[in-house]
Amino acid sequence: MKLSARLAALAGSSALVLGALAGAAPATAAPAGATAAPDISVANVKQHLTDLSTIASNNGGNRAHGRPGYKASIDFVKAKLDAVGFTTSVQQFTYSGTTGYNLIADWPGGDPNQVIMAGSHLDSVTSGPGMNDNGSGSAAILEAALTVARSGYQPTKHLRFGWWGAEELGLVGSKYYVNNLPTAERAKIKGYLNFDMIGSPNPGYFVYDDDPAIEQTFKGFFSGIGVPTEIETEGDGRSDHASFKNVGIPVGGLFTGASRVKSSAQVSKWGGTATAFDRCYHSSCDTLSNINDTALDRNSDAIAHAIWNLSGTSTPPTGKVFENTADVSIPDNGAAVTSSVTVSGVTGNAPSNLSVGVDIVHTYKGDLVVDLIAPDGSVYNLHNRSGGGTDNIQQTYTVNASSEVANGAWKLRAQDKAGADTGYINGFKLTFP
Ligand code: DTR
Ligand code: ZN
Ligand code: ZN
């Protein structure tokens, strides 16, 4: 059953209340009160790792900054995301005379003023293919992103993913991204989650202790599966989360250890041996055989848990909310229908970030044209037949309605322009921030 986030706005309620995600039972129990995220297929994560390993083998044995294997890695990840509907962009930068690349991927929808971002560096060192460092993090967030698309997840907050270049040379790519992000855009990022080495062969389970809410989200997941964790103490400044933390963005992340030696107490806690967490750190032996599948699986599921729980909730709108939850049937391949709300008590014009909550239940969103109609008849197109056979349109749009007088009758208009699939308007909500 397809997962779908439901705008379960209660009639008359001024708060945007999200129902829990309905759908596939998670492979692991979510902590009480948490949203159950889908299980991440570790087989799929391993397949992405195998593909990255092949890229390294075909390009001189590594995926390092400035080498062909790195750009081939970027192209590989980008193609996967483009194929499932992400909005991707490749950001170029120059370091030590060679071109570097960051890949940014946005999942359409969600509140653009509240962004949850997950990132991993995609580059390796020159000595090897970099499977644990950091194919593991890159492959895990790639599979998390593909699972978002596959499940049709429509979070309240906006989801963004990043794959960084030249981390091994000093967090170069992530610093470039943050430094070139306007201050107003930085402020929208409510959390950055970093995953760098999450499949170490002799693993520990370390959680970054930066932002308390993010830390607790990860800790809650691991306690839910009975795996003890420790705070990552050497992390400060050691990976791309530092670039975000340095500009005041809340950060968190996971780590399974590098060249440091696992203590006997940690062996008692996690198993393994009192040797390095990853004896192949920055070495040619950081290959596919240098991955612990259980650690990779647990951390991949922890990533999904954090993404779903940090993006599926929203601080209720503080402004005025106008809502119509009456069902309006949409005739198959027929005339347009409308659901309307009458706005009153709002002085002046509507805002440039008018929040338009659309909840349409339909079996083929590609049939639909959906518009917002202002009181004076101005038309703002929200959806124009994209999405193919995916079910439902359940998302929040942000419309620049600043040229419209706020008070009056606003309409949500829907028209089905192709045969065979049917549906109805389930809810229409305007929020004036
Ligand atoms: N700097 C990372 C590896 C690394 C070392 N310590 C930590 C702590 C937290 C995250 C990552 C790391 C690299 O070599 O890519
Ligand atoms: Zn490294
Ligand atoms: Zn790394």
Side-chain angles (χ1 to χ4, degrees):
M1 174 182 175
K2 189 183 293 316
L3 285 178
S4 59
R6 298 195 180 289
L7 284 174
L10 303 173
S13 158
S14 64
L16 186 58
V17 176
L18 272 189
L21 283 170
T28 49
T35 300
D39 176 62
I40 298 297
S41 159
V42 70
N44 289 355
V45 178
K46 294 276 287 183
Q47 182 56 55
H48 303 324
L49 270 176
T50 301
D51 294 338
L52 290 172
S53 177
T54 302
I55 287 170
S57 302
N58 295 341
N59 291 280
N62 67 69
R63 299 180 304 100
H65 167 75
R67 307 292 181 85
Y70 180 72
K71 182 59 167 56
S73 301
I74 284 277
D75 294 343
F76 162 73
V77 175
K78 184 179 188 297
K80 290 271 186 191
L81 295 164
D82 288 341
V84 296
F86 276 85
T87 303
T88 61
S89 63
V90 176
Q91 180 183 51
Q92 289 192 12
F93 58 87
T94 302
Y95 183 79
S96 67
T98 48
T99 303
Y101 306 90
N102 293 324
L103 172 65
I104 308 301
D106 285 274
W107 179 239
D111 181 350
N113 297 311
Q114 295 189 86
V115 178
I116 295 296
M117 188 168 192
S120 291
H121 76 85
L122 187 57
D123 64 311
S124 75
V125 291
T126 55
S127 54
M131 287 298 99
N132 186 36
D133 184 18
N134 184 36
S136 62
S138 296
I141 66 168
L142 170 59
E143 186 56 25
L146 297 176
T147 303
V148 165
R150 202 177 295 131
S151 66
Y153 181 41
Q154 295 290 345
T156 305
K157 296 187 178 77
H158 178 80
L159 278 181
R160 181 174 299 153
F161 296 81
W163 286 264
W164 310 118
E167 185 271 351
E168 299 290 4
L169 301 172
L171 321 183
V172 176
S174 58
K175 280 178 185 169
Y176 184 86
Y177 173 76
V178 169
N179 293 342
N180 286 275
L181 205 56
T183 305
E185 291 306 307
R186 291 177 187 174
K188 294 175 184 177
I189 301 178
K190 305 309 180 188
Y192 171 75
L193 314 178
N194 193 65
F195 306 102
D196 181 358
M197 300 181 73
I198 61 168
S200 304
N202 182 29
Y205 292 89
F206 298 97
V207 176
Y208 296 7
D209 66 338
D210 300 284
D211 177 75
I214 298 174
E215 177 188 343
Q216 287 312 316
T217 299
F218 283 123
K219 281 181 168 176
F221 172 80
F222 281 102
S223 60
I225 62 170
V227 173
T229 56
E230 289 186 7
I231 292 306
E232 168 44 41
T233 52
E234 74 166 75
D236 280 354
R238 293 293 303 267
S239 191
D240 294 302
H241 58 298
S243 303
F244 291 80
K245 186 175 183 179
N246 290 342
V247 296
I249 293 172
V251 302
L254 300 172
F255 179 55
T256 47
S259 50
R260 206 172 42 185
V261 170
K262 187 185 281 185
S263 69
S264 53
Q266 289 171 327
V267 170
S268 305
K269 185 181 293 184
W270 291 319
T273 57
T275 58
F277 292 100
D278 180 354
R279 65 177 184 77
C280 290
Y281 175 58
H282 286 187
S283 306
S284 58
C285 56
D286 188 5
T287 61
L288 283 171
S289 61
N290 190 50
I291 293 290
N292 179 292
D293 289 2
T294 301
L296 187 63
D297 188 13
R298 288 170 172 171
N299 283 305
S300 298
D301 289 333
I303 290 169
H305 175 83
I307 287 172
W308 259 254
N309 280 276
L310 294 171
S311 66
T313 55
S314 172
T315 44
T318 53
K320 291 180 179 287
V321 178
F322 301 85
E323 182 180 20
N324 186 340
T325 57
D327 291 359
V328 180
S329 179
I330 305 171
D332 185 24
N333 199 10
V337 294
T338 61
S339 170
S340 62
V341 295
T342 300
V343 172
S344 61
V346 179
T347 53
N349 281 14
S352 59
N353 59 343
L354 176 62
S355 172
V356 184
V358 175
D359 183 353
I360 292 176
V361 178
H362 198 279
T363 51
Y364 199 103
K365 67 192 287 189
D367 288 358
L368 297 174
V369 175
V370 181
D371 300 304
L372 174 68
I373 315 288
D376 69 354
S378 306
V379 178
Y380 296 82
N381 180 251
L382 303 176
H383 177 88
N384 190 4
R385 305 206 57 185
S386 61
T390 308
D391 294 354
N392 310 334
I393 299 176
Q394 293 169 325
Q395 73 182 74
T396 300
Y397 299 84
T398 298
V399 173
N400 180 355
S402 54
S403 62
E404 306 294 343
V405 172
N407 292 334
W410 293 74
K411 292 181 170 55
L412 182 72
R413 181 174 68 191
Q415 186 171 13
D416 182 330
K417 306 198 82 169
D421 286 83
T422 57
Y424 60 95
I425 299 174
N426 190 40
F428 167 39
K429 177 204 283 270
L430 290 182
T431 302
F432 290 72

